[in-house]
Amino acid sequence: MGENTVNLQDKDGYKIMGISIQMFLLITAIVLVATYMEVLPAGMIGAFPLMMVIGAIFNELGDRLPIVKDYLGGGPIIIIFGSAALMTFNLIPESAGTIMTNFMKGEGFLDFYIAALITGSILGMDRKLLIKAAVRYLPVILGGVIVSFGLVSSVGAIMGYGAKDALFYVGLPIMGGGMGAGAVPLSQIFGDGLNVDPTAVLSKMVPALALGNALSIVAAGLLDRIGKGKPNLSGEGKLLVGQEEPDREKENKIAVEYKFLGMGLLLSTTFFAWGRILAKFIPIHSYALMIITVAVVKAFGIMPKKYEIGAFQWFRFIMANLTPTLLVGIGVAYTDLAEVASAFSLTYLILVTVTVLGAILGAGFVGKILGFYPVEAAITGGLCMANMGGTGDVAVLSASNRMLLMPFAQISSRLGGAFMLIVATALLSIFGG
């Protein structure tokens, strides 16, 4: 090795994010001093270092706690709920929380991340697999919904909560596609149909939504654990039975190039913008329209191969480096521990649990019949219906180590969520009043 050559493969010593512990501690000290002195810059230049440091620390902790790492999904669980605890108990300055929340919501980091995952994961898929899986996937969602609603209504009746109330105020909001695209329009539909104040309806739904999201994340980690080493249950990240493993050797021969990463960045954000354009004319969520567009481009081979490679490499870069960062944002900006805690009555906890369990069992069972691995079907078609939309999808897939399934998770959250609004209207006409 020449004297001017730098050894980039040095593996000596303990590392966090590939950084030596000494360097990481120095970085952490600088970031935290800036945070508590309240001189952390606004925007992404302040949000990135703080969220990356917090995410890295909590990720290391979660991946080493015995019960958490073995049964509850490891790092992602600790990152989300640990970050939420920092805000709930005022352990970091309010100004830092504002910077992170604005980065997630105002500056659109969540959309940026999901756009990269959707574009790259679909364009990086095998074309035949995409076509085969898409045709069978909607019945998997339907199976989860039917069993979930059946269980929560039955248990609600048995426990004296009321079958209709359990279905309307627990089952529907949990399976409804999150807050903005689910609970909020559901409360408007209920308000109009039942002639009540939508705000009062929403206040009943929010605890179910929050607790259902939390249980979905935990369940994702458990399903990953249950499926390990059981090829009859899990494809270890593959959705379809008989699906070939990606040719990693061939994939690794394609060098990561700066221009490819730039292509991927431009393609993912452009596809996202296209979804927003279509949403102005078609009453479907822009994420869903984006997924459909990217899937059509892939299925018909419209995109030149080098652009597909660029999108895939950009997706892998974002997923490998910024997932813990995003999970911190989910904890800070989207996870209210007070709402989760307020829902902890035994009856309510049981109703939420059976709703999530029904989603798992129904989607897993139908998935098995249609040629999917039950664990992957339960996670994407079940838990990604029961979680809190886009943020929940990232958390669930991260906890179960199945980020490559993001397109199917988004189909559940977006198309499935839109379908639930239609179902709610129908149920109100039958059982309302």
Side-chain angles (χ1 to χ4, degrees), residues 115 119 266-282 284-297:
T119 305
L266 181 58
L267 283 170
S268 64
T269 50
T270 302
F271 272 118
F272 183 83
W274 176 248
R276 296 290 293 269
I277 292 171
L278 291 180
K280 288 291 185 181
F281 304 98
I282 304 171
I284 299 175
H285 196 284
S286 60
Y287 276 166
L289 294 169
M290 176 187 175
I291 293 168
I292 292 169
T293 301
V294 180
V296 168
V297 167

Side-chain angles (χ1 to χ4, degrees), residues 64-205:
R64 281 162 176 74
L65 289 174
I67 295 176
V68 174
K69 75 181 179 68
D70 291 331
Y71 298 101
L72 301 179
I77 291 286
I78 297 298
I79 295 172
I80 293 168
F81 292 107
S83 301
L86 292 179
M87 296 301 299
T88 300
F89 300 109
N90 300 312
L91 298 178
I92 57 175
E94 184 179 346
S95 60
T98 300
I99 289 171
M100 291 188 284
T101 299
N102 186 59
F103 182 51
M104 290 293 292
K105 294 182 176 180
E107 297 178 36
F109 181 51
L110 176 64
D111 291 334
F112 179 79
Y113 182 97
I114 291 178
L117 261 64
I118 289 174
T119 305
S121 55
I122 292 179
L123 293 181
M125 287 176 71
D126 178 78
R127 181 172 164 272
K128 293 179 181 177
L129 165 66
L130 175 65
I131 296 169
K132 284 175 64 178
V135 171
R136 311 179 198 179
Y137 189 66
L138 292 182
V140 173
I141 295 176
L142 189 59
V145 169
I146 291 172
V147 176
S148 178
F149 283 1
L151 275 179
V152 74
S153 299
S154 301
V155 173
I158 293 169
M159 298 188 72
Y161 190 89
K164 187 174 78 172
D165 283 354
L167 175 61
F168 282 3
Y169 299 111
V170 179
L172 267 169
I174 289 176
M175 302 297 286
M179 180 66 76
V184 172
L186 276 174
S187 67
Q188 297 293 330
I189 292 171
F190 277 39
D192 294 341
L194 300 176
N195 197 27
V196 296
D197 182 5
T199 304
V201 175
L202 187 61
S203 67
K204 288 185 178 182
M205 291 182 170

Side-chain angles (χ1 to χ4, degrees), residues 11 91 102 155 170-171 210 225 247 286 368 401 414 417 425 431:
K11 296 184 179 179
L91 298 178
N102 186 59
V155 173
V170 179
R225 176 69 178 178
D247 189 348
S286 60
K368 175 72 172 177
N401 298 306
R414 304 309 169 187
T425 303
F431 300 111

